[in-house]
């Protein structure tokens, strides 16, 4: 593992030879592990090396260590936006683009901007900065990664509303894991270095339990390891063409079940650096004039989620779902079909078993794998 100074110098070298902005993300398992402090330390190192560094946005949360590191660094003031009678502050994207520093620090990557801002999400602001040739340091916690949403909810019982697409992490030039043991993190919490005293007890009994910390820590380590291994593989094989397989995720009009399948298949495809497509077979009883507006909205939202996760959307009309899947597999270069666990009712068990046997036989003939997700 590289020391911090070596790591900062490596990123410095990337900056000096790049045209499009270089992107470095500091990822942590939970609030308070030290992402912002590490980011500010690296920014200070680069400032000493003659890089034009500016602070675009930093959230100190009133933490003394963070505020101390911020002193002496040039800051681009936030712009003030009035929303619902309140004066709120947001990163001043226009000023950053106009002044065009070599490197800008942008904290809270998953943040949702105030309505009326240039972009809905801060990660979209960062994409504009990178396109303009500005290098960016940013930070995010593992629970804000879109494809991990269901897994995080299962672990800690909380659905995180602010999320970033996995593609944001994938385009980063560097992803650095900021790690602490659960004992160290809990000690920081108890000593008031993360939250104010009034919030400590509630945090200890809910999100900051040892079990939750260990589970999130494992997720963060796995995610960073996956990113690094992909980068290494890409560098090793840059002169060879990788044969990419395609995962076909089959969804229905239901919201939660389909969202789970999309996220799950996105993780499977990402692990092997393969493509994935999301298939919705439109059978006669699911035509747009026969499903209600709420169901149509769920379907559109699931398509948007799939696109955010890098999927191609396939909508296909067929007499029944099984035939639709088989026909799409014949037309497209599919290597693996992913479906949800069949919800078979007793009265239709024999017919359904016959239809699924038809699917299995057709996939087998084409040498296509089948994954049934719970």
């Amino acid at each position: 593992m590289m020391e911090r100074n070596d790591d900062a110098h490596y990123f410095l070298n990337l900056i000096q030879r790049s045209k499009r902005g270089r992107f470095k993300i500091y990822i942590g398992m939970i609030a308070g592990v030290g992402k912002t402090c590490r980011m500010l330390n690296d920014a200070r190192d680069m400032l000493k090396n003659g890089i034009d560094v500016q602070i675009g946005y930093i959230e100190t949360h009133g933490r003394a260590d963070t505020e101390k590191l911020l002193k002496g660094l040039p800051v681009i003031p936030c712009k003030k936006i009035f929303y619902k009678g309140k004066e709120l502050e947001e990163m001043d994207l226009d000023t950053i683009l106009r002044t065009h520093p070599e490197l800008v620090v942008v904290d809270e990557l998953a943040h949702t901007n105030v309505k009326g801002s240039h972009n809905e999400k801060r990660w979209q602001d960062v994409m504009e900065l990178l396109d303009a040739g500005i290098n960016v340091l940013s930070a995010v916690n593992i629970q804000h990664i879109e494809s991990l949403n269901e897994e995080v909810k299962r672990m800690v019982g909380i659905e995180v509303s602010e999320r970033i697409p996995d593609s944001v992490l994938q385009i980063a030039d560097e992803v650095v894991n900021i790690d602490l043991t659960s004992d160290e993190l809990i000690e920081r919490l108890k000593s008031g270095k993360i939250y104010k005293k009034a919030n400590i007890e509630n945090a200890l009994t809910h999100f900051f339990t040892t079990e939750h910390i260990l589970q999130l820590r494992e997720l963060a380590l796995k995610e960073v390891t996956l990113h690094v291994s992909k980068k290494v593989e890409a560098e090793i094989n840059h002169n060879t063409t990788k044969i990419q397989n395609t995962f076909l995720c089959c969804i229905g009009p239901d919201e939660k079940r389909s969202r789970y399948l999309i996220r799950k298949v996105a993780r499977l495809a990402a692990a092997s650096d393969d493509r994935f497509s999301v298939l919705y077979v439109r059978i006669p009883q699911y035509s747009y004039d026969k499903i209600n507006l709420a169901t149509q909205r769920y379907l559109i939202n699931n398509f948007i989620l799939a696109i955010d996760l890098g999927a191609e959307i396939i909508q296909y009309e067929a007499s029944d779902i099984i035939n639709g899947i088989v026909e799409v597999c014949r037309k497209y270069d599919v290597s693996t079909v992913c479906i949800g666990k069949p919800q078979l009712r007793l009265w239709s068990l024999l017919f359904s078993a016959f239809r699924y046997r038809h699917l299995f036989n057709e996939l087998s003939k084409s040498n296509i794998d089948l994954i049934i997700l719970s």
Side-chain angles (χ1 to χ4, degrees):
M1 185 177 292
M2 287 189 289
E3 296 295 328
R4 189 178 66 79
N5 285 341
D6 293 336
D7 192 24
H9 289 147
Y10 172 71
F11 193 70
L12 175 63
N13 290 332
L14 287 178
I15 289 173
Q16 291 169 337
R17 64 173 186 260
S18 66
K19 290 184 179 179
R20 185 179 186 270
R22 309 297 290 196
F23 188 23
K24 184 172 183 176
I25 298 179
Y26 301 79
I27 195 167
M29 56 187 167
I30 204 167
V33 295
K35 301 183 303 298
T36 304
C37 287
R38 172 66 181 277
M39 190 162 53
L40 290 174
N41 270 315
D42 284 356
R44 297 179 80 89
D45 287 343
M46 292 182 200
L47 190 63
K48 289 176 185 176
N49 281 280
I51 295 294
D52 174 19
V53 176
Q54 296 281 339
I55 303 299
Y57 185 88
I58 280 290
E59 184 59 73
T60 67
H61 296 286
R63 296 167 189 160
D65 291 345
T66 308
E67 291 177 349
K68 183 179 177 181
L69 287 170
L70 189 56
K71 288 180 181 178
L73 287 170
V75 177
I76 295 176
C78 290
K79 65 179 178 181
K80 292 177 171 54
I81 299 176
F82 284 91
Y83 180 66
K84 292 186 176 180
K86 293 181 179 179
E87 186 182 74
L88 303 172
E89 290 189 338
E90 285 291 1
M91 182 177 76
D92 193 341
L93 176 64
D94 293 333
T95 299
I96 297 172
L97 289 169
R98 187 172 60 253
T99 57
H100 207 283
E102 285 182 83
L103 175 72
V104 66
V105 176
V106 180
D107 205 0
E108 302 285 343
L109 186 60
H111 169 76
T112 301
N113 293 331
V114 178
K115 284 191 176 180
S117 299
H118 183 67
N119 291 308
E120 181 186 356
K121 299 284 188 176
R122 184 164 291 157
W123 66 263
Q124 294 170 323
D125 293 340
V126 167
M127 295 302 109
E128 284 202 38
L129 295 173
L130 295 171
D131 288 340
I134 299 172
N135 305 290
V136 178
L137 303 183
S138 193
V140 70
N141 284 326
I142 191 65
Q143 61 264 30
H144 296 287
I145 307 301
E146 179 63 66
S147 68
L148 294 173
N149 184 257
E150 301 287 348
E151 200 165 349
V152 170
K153 184 179 178 181
R154 176 180 57 80
M155 286 177 177
V156 301
I158 297 172
E159 183 164 15
V160 179
S161 58
E162 293 190 315
R163 304 187 291 271
I164 65 170
D166 291 47
S167 57
V168 175
L169 208 62
Q170 290 162 8
I171 67 168
D173 300 282
E174 281 191 84
V175 177
V176 179
N177 184 44
I178 308 301
D179 190 33
L180 280 180
T181 66
S182 59
D183 290 341
E184 288 174 313
L185 186 61
I186 290 172
E187 185 57 39
R188 281 178 56 82
L189 179 63
K190 288 180 177 177
S191 62
K193 293 182 178 180
I194 300 177
Y195 296 137
K196 294 177 181 179
K197 288 185 178 180
N199 300 324
I200 292 174
E201 193 58 39
N202 183 58
L204 284 170
T205 55
H206 290 85
F207 208 72
F208 278 76
T209 66
T210 299
E211 181 183 3
H212 290 165
I213 292 168
L214 290 174
Q215 289 174 322
L216 292 170
R217 187 187 189 197
E218 182 182 10
L219 270 188
L221 288 168
K222 283 181 178 178
E223 189 65 29
V224 175
T225 301
L226 176 62
H227 178 86
V228 172
S229 65
K230 280 186 179 180
K231 289 290 183 184
V232 171
E233 184 178 348
E235 289 184 15
I236 292 173
N237 299 324
H238 71 280
N239 288 325
T240 60
T241 302
K242 178 186 181 296
I243 298 174
Q244 279 195 309
N245 297 312
T246 298
F247 286 79
L248 184 68
C249 173
C250 305
I251 67 167
D254 51 329
E255 181 187 25
K256 292 183 179 179
R257 180 178 167 91
S258 294
R259 289 179 79 83
Y260 172 81
L261 290 175
I262 291 167
R263 288 184 175 124
K264 192 80 173 179
V265 177
R267 300 297 299 173
L268 290 172
S272 52
D273 198 22
D274 286 319
R275 299 182 297 258
F276 89 103
S277 300
V278 168
L279 168 65
Y280 175 67
V281 178
R282 195 185 315 284
I283 55 178
Q285 56 264 46
Y286 286 159
S287 61
Y288 276 127
D289 60 339
K290 292 183 180 179
I291 58 176
N292 59 42
L293 289 175
T295 303
Q296 290 182 38
R297 187 169 62 250
Y298 296 152
L299 190 59
I300 292 169
N301 287 339
N302 284 337
F303 288 158
I304 292 171
L305 170 66
I307 291 168
D308 284 344
L309 291 172
E312 176 191 2
I313 304 299
I314 302 172
Q315 296 189 62
Y316 191 82
E317 291 192 11
S319 57
D320 65 71
I321 292 172
I322 299 297
N323 275 333
I325 296 172
V326 169
E327 289 168 18
V328 166
C329 287
R330 288 173 182 162
K331 291 186 176 185
Y332 292 82
D333 184 21
V334 174
S335 57
T336 305
V337 170
C338 302
I339 63 173
K341 180 182 176 183
Q343 296 176 317
L344 301 179
R345 296 179 179 85
L346 184 61
W347 62 269
S348 63
L349 185 59
L350 289 176
F351 178 73
S352 296
F354 174 78
R355 301 301 298 135
Y356 277 102
R357 184 179 178 183
H358 172 59
L359 173 64
F360 302 154
N361 288 340
E362 290 299 319
L363 295 183
S364 179
K365 287 178 188 176
S366 303
N367 200 28
I368 297 173
D369 294 326
L370 175 68
I371 297 177
I372 300 176
L373 300 165
S374 60

